[in-house]
Amino acid sequence: MLLTDLDLERWEQDGFLVLPDLVPADACDELMTRGSELVARYDDDDERSVFTTDQQDRHSDDKFLRSGATIDFFWETEALDADGNPVLDGAVGFNKMGHAQHDLDPVFDRFSRQDPLPALVSELGMTDPLLLQSMLIFKHAGVGGEVISHQDATFLYTDPVTVVGLWFALEDATVENGCLFAQPGGHKGPLRQLFRRADGGGTEFVDLDPTPLPELGAAELVPLEVTKGTCVVLHGLLPHGSHPNRSGRSRQAYSVHLIDGAADYPAFNWLQRPNLPLRGFDNARR
Ligand code: FE2
């Protein structure tokens, strides 16, 4: 067994697990190098998409909606001027890369399916784990944006809720450079909102429950300061987020979100993969 009884108790009680040194530092370096190579190949196609978790300005353009089945790049708000032209190079101005590199790029594929991840997910009770989505989160020095407090099941919904996030620190993450903050036990609360495709095109938030989420800065959210190679496992209902990175040090992370194939994945989810079947840890396509 990879997880101890205490780990499983904590998972039950807190809704997250911090597993230091779960992946080797070399693998983190290799992933960041591969990310840089893909950034360098980025072809500016004039379809610049900003990623922000602020509900009022969430930018749901075609690029975002199709990125469930591609490798696309999303800018930091501060990297583009008022006309949408870059004022920073992508190498320091991208917010993230997403969302299917775990299936489309061999280096990301290998990282996402390495041991002991299959055992970890199985011990957490997933019967048919499917790797739904991945993100390389750059959180660049000085410009890395805030991720407001949210529940992952809002964005990746199954009935019942099964989404689990594996968040890997590719670099040390501290309060100073924008580490994760999470609410211990907050996964026992209800799902507050759904982010879904709207009938008339685009996307919308639908309120499900009025219980407020603790905002960043609230005492309920505790910092998860972790070292490179740590995996933070996040329950899909756990409120979490991160502050902007105003430090001089980047805080790269890679996350993979898994769902259980035993649950229903509705067609209203923003992320759809019509031409790219979901895969588990083996090569079988579902
Ligand atoms: Fe999240």
Side-chain angles (χ1 to χ4, degrees):
M1 292 291 281
L2 176 74
L3 299 174
T4 64
D5 287 347
L6 184 60
D7 287 332
L8 291 170
E9 234 170 77
R10 283 190 178 139
W11 173 247
E12 199 64 40
Q13 264 174 26
D14 295 340
F16 66 87
L17 273 180
V18 176
L19 305 171
D21 299 320
L22 194 77
V23 294
D26 287 359
C28 297
D29 290 338
E30 186 188 29
L31 206 71
M32 287 191 289
T33 300
R34 182 63 181 152
S36 298
E37 285 170 10
L38 294 171
V39 166
R41 279 193 213 168
Y42 173 72
D43 183 19
D44 191 344
D45 56 5
D46 266 341
E47 209 186 332
R48 298 186 192 99
S49 192
V50 168
F51 183 77
T52 165
T53 52
D54 185 304
Q55 299 182 12
Q56 273 72 47
D57 344 294
R58 178 176 272 275
H59 195 96
S60 290
D61 51 22
D62 289 346
K63 183 170 174 175
F64 178 72
L65 288 178
R66 71 161 191 252
S67 67
T70 62
I71 302 176
D72 273 311
F73 295 90
F74 299 89
W75 293 88
E76 292 289 358
T77 311
E78 293 179 29
L80 302 181
D81 68 16
D83 297 322
N85 298 311
V87 292
L88 293 174
D89 189 76
V92 291
F94 283 137
N95 171 287
K96 68 173 175 179
M97 184 176 103
H99 291 93
Q101 53 265 2
H102 60 286
D103 284 332
L104 297 175
D105 181 85
V107 178
F108 280 87
D109 181 343
R110 199 160 57 235
F111 187 99
S112 307
R113 292 179 169 86
Q114 68 185 298
D115 282 331
L117 304 183
L120 167 63
V121 167
S122 163
E123 289 175 26
L124 291 175
M126 281 191 135
T127 53
D128 181 18
L130 298 175
L131 283 71
L132 175 63
Q133 184 225 43
S134 60
M135 297 187 282
L136 179 62
I137 305 157
F138 298 108
K139 204 93 171 179
H140 284 301
V143 298
E146 174 185 78
V147 176
I148 63 166
S149 181
H150 66 281
Q151 296 168 298
D152 288 339
T154 290
F155 301 96
L156 303 169
Y157 180 76
T158 59
D159 184 13
V161 169
T162 57
V163 65
V164 168
L166 303 180
W167 185 100
F168 301 93
L170 302 179
E171 299 178 290
D172 293 351
T174 64
V175 168
E176 193 204 7
N177 70 353
C179 68
L180 284 175
F181 277 71
Q183 182 190 15
H187 65 302
K188 294 176 180 170
L191 181 61
R192 309 321 200 271
Q193 283 189 307
L194 271 184
F195 176 74
R196 50 181 287 172
R197 292 186 180 231
D199 289 341
T203 54
E204 62 185 358
F205 280 96
V206 177
D207 291 331
L208 299 180
D209 189 286
T211 312
L213 284 178
E215 289 179 20
L216 278 179
E220 296 101 303
L221 293 173
V222 301
L224 306 182
E225 291 194 301
V226 297
T227 52
K228 176 176 185 165
T230 298
C231 177
V232 181
V233 189
L234 298 159
H235 188 285
L237 290 176
L238 185 78
H240 63 284
S242 64
H243 292 276
N245 180 7
R246 297 298 180 203
S247 79
R249 216 158 42 84
S250 63
R251 193 232 65 190
Q252 284 203 56
Y254 177 61
S255 72
V256 181
H257 287 97
L258 298 110
I259 54 170
D260 201 317
D264 180 47
Y265 185 75
F268 62 63
N269 275 296
W270 74 269
L271 191 157
Q272 298 294 332
R273 307 208 331 171
N275 303 313
L276 189 63
L278 294 180
R279 285 170 53 201
F281 286 108
D282 54 21
N283 265 332
R285 290 173 184 268
R286 310 296 201 308

